Amino acid sequence: MTETRHLASIGDIERGTWDSLVPAPCFYQSHGWLAGQERPDFATATYTVVSSGSRLLAATPSYDFPAENAPPLPPVAADREVLRVGTRTGYHNEFLLAGTEEEQRDALAELVEGLADHAARLGSDALLFDFLTTDSLRLLAGLFPVRAQLRSAEAVVHNEEGTFESYRRLLGRNVRKRDYEVRKFEQAGLRLETAPLSECVDELAPLIGQTMDRYDASLDLAEIRTFLTVQAEHLDGLSTVFRVVDEEGGLVGGHVSFAWREMLYARVAGFDYTRTRDAYEYFNAVYYGPLRHMEQHGLDTLHLGLSAVQAKVRRGARLHPVWAAVLPLPLVRGAGLTRDAAADQALADSVRAEAGGGMDEKEWELGRVTPL
C-alpha cells in the first residue's frame, strides 16, 4: 500500500533517501540544493512524497508564492492561480520516480493527485510544471490532459569520452578559435586555481555583483553573500570555484560550479572588470578550466543552462527543449496534450536561428511530442 505525504521542510526526509531518486540531470532537485532554496519569507515550500513502506517511489517540491514574489507566468498559465511544482531555480525539472515503467506511472499519478489536493487547499486552480523535460511532459500527458508550451532551450556539453581532447573533437571546425581563447588566456599571464565555495564567499560576492550590474541584473551585495553562504553550508562538498588569478595571485574573477553524479553544473560567475585583460576569462573559467577538471574527476557532462545559446553551441553544447505544462483543477484522468503548435514552432525556429546548430532534428521535431 502506498502513502502520500506533504512535508514542510526538505529536512523532514533523510538526504540519502530523497537523493536516491535524483539522477545526474536533476541536481537542482537534489536535497542539498533544495535545502539552500528554502526561504519562507519568499515562498512557502512543500515536499510531496509517495512511498510504500520504507521505499520512496516519487517526490517533488512545490512552491506557493505570495503575489509580490511570484515569478511571471508563462502564457499557457495566464490568468491562473497556480501552485508551482518542481524546483524554483535552475530551470530544469523532471519527475523523480522509482521502479519499473508501470510503477513509475502509478507513482506519478498518485503524486499529481496529492499535489492537486494540496493546491486546492491553497486556493489554486492549476498546477504549473515549469521548465519540464520532453520525456516528463509526455509521461504527464499520458495520465492527465495537459496544456503545454515550449519554454526555452537548455545547453549541455555531452563529452562522452570525458577527456579534454575528446571535447576538442566535439568542436569540429570551431576548435581553432577555442584553442586561441585558451592560448590568449595563458599568454595574458592568467591562470586558474580551484577552491571550495566556503573559502571564496567574501572575495567572490563583490565580483558577482559587478557582473550582475553589467548585465542589468543587479542584486544587493548582502543578498549575494547570503545565497553563497547558504549554498556553501549545504553543498560545499560538491562545489568547485574556478578562481582566475594574475601573476601575483590577485583575484580577477571566479566561477561557482557544483558536481552531481557524472555532471558538472555551471552556476554563477563574477569578474573585476578593472583587472580583466580581454583574454577570454569567462570562457576559460566556465568552459575550458572546468572541462579539464572534469577529466581529472571522472565527469563527462557540463550543464550550462538557458540563454546565450550561440556562444554555448560554438563551444560544443547541444540544446534540449524544456516546456511549461499546466494541469487545470480539479483533475481529470485521461491522456491528452494541447498546445499552440505554431507558436511553439516559431520559438524553436528562433532558437535555431540564434544558435546556428546544436539541435538534434529528431529531438526538435515537435510534432513527435505526444503523450506516452
Side-chain angles (χ1 to χ4, degrees):
M1 179 176 291
T2 59
E3 177 187 17
T4 300
R5 294 175 293 145
H6 304 287
L7 310 177
S9 171
I10 193 67
D12 293 337
I13 187 168
E14 197 272 330
R15 185 168 186 156
T17 300
W18 180 280
D19 284 345
S20 68
L21 294 185
V22 184
C26 296
F27 167 68
Y28 294 120
Q29 292 164 271
S30 68
H31 193 284
W33 180 262
L34 294 175
Q37 300 302 307
E38 281 193 0
R39 289 187 50 183
D41 60 320
F42 189 71
T44 301
T46 300
Y47 304 88
T48 301
V49 298
V50 178
S51 56
S52 176
S54 61
R55 184 185 179 209
L56 187 62
L57 301 176
T60 188
S62 63
Y63 297 91
D64 181 30
F65 285 86
E68 63 271 20
N69 294 338
L73 289 171
V76 73
D79 303 321
R80 290 284 186 175
E81 295 292 332
V82 303
L83 176 67
R84 294 174 182 265
V85 181
T87 183
R88 69 176 182 85
T89 52
Y91 308 111
H92 179 103
N93 276 300
E94 54 187 277
F95 295 120
L96 306 181
L97 305 167
T100 65
E101 288 186 9
E102 183 178 356
E103 288 172 331
Q104 289 185 17
R105 289 174 66 87
D106 290 344
L108 178 58
E110 292 193 44
L111 183 73
V112 172
E113 288 166 355
L115 288 163
D117 291 342
H118 176 55
R121 288 192 292 271
L122 295 172
S124 301
D125 64 8
L127 301 175
L128 171 61
F129 304 82
D130 212 359
F131 300 101
L132 197 62
T133 64
T134 298
D135 285 347
S136 283
L137 170 64
R138 296 184 67 200
L139 185 58
L140 182 65
L143 295 169
F144 303 97
V146 176
R147 295 168 49 197
Q149 74 171 87
L150 183 64
R151 193 73 156 102
S152 190
E154 64 174 347
V156 182
V157 176
H158 300 278
N159 184 23
E160 293 180 0
E161 294 180 44
T163 69
F164 195 76
E165 282 306 308
S166 63
Y167 166 68
R168 291 181 70 251
R169 289 194 292 272
L170 287 179
L171 298 174
R173 60 186 176 85
N174 284 316
V175 68
R176 289 186 178 181
K177 292 180 180 179
R178 309 293 80 88
D179 285 347
Y180 169 75
E181 292 172 355
V182 173
R183 285 198 308 274
K184 187 164 185 181
F185 179 81
E186 294 170 346
Q187 291 167 359
L190 301 173
R191 68 182 189 276
L192 289 172
E193 298 178 348
T194 60
L197 178 56
S198 59
E199 296 180 7
C200 305
V201 170
D202 289 338
E203 65 175 6
L204 197 55
L207 305 193
I208 292 173
Q210 278 195 44
T211 297
M212 295 182 79
D213 289 345
R214 190 181 183 97
Y215 293 99
D216 298 321
S218 297
L219 192 63
D220 182 76
L221 180 58
E223 180 71 14
I224 297 172
R225 280 202 179 96
T226 296
F227 80 69
L228 291 177
T229 300
V230 170
Q231 288 179 3
E233 177 184 348
H234 293 285
L235 296 161
D236 206 42
L238 303 177
S239 71
T240 301
V241 176
F242 295 89
R243 301 174 71 252
V244 180
V245 297
D246 61 20
E247 298 90 338
E248 288 76 41
L251 187 66
V252 176
H255 159 227
V256 180
S257 68
F258 297 97
W260 183 250
R261 312 299 189 203
E262 63 269 22
M263 292 180 65
L264 189 73
Y265 285 76
R267 185 57 196 166
V268 65
F271 295 88
D272 180 348
Y273 294 101
T274 68
R275 305 185 71 173
T276 54
R277 301 178 179 181
D278 193 25
Y280 300 99
E281 291 91 345
Y282 176 85
F283 295 115
N284 278 273
V286 177
Y287 291 75
Y288 312 134
L291 282 155
R292 292 186 186 279
H293 173 87
M294 289 165 61
E295 177 177 0
Q296 298 167 5
H297 292 83
L299 310 176
D300 61 17
T301 306
L302 178 62
H303 187 274
L304 296 167
L306 312 181
S307 75
V309 292
Q310 183 183 74
K312 293 170 181 176
V313 167
R314 287 180 175 177
R315 290 164 181 84
R318 306 295 296 176
L319 302 181
H320 306 290
V322 287
W323 303 80
V326 173
L327 282 182
L329 301 179
L331 282 179
V332 176
R333 288 297 296 263
L337 178 58
T338 303
R339 59 186 185 84
D340 185 334
D344 289 347
Q345 190 60 54
L347 177 56
D349 291 343
S350 175
V351 171
R352 184 175 287 104
E354 178 188 353
M359 299 170 72
D360 178 80
E361 289 303 319
K362 184 176 180 180
E363 184 179 14
W364 284 89
E365 189 178 333
L366 302 185
R368 299 170 63 96
V369 180
T370 55
L372 285 176

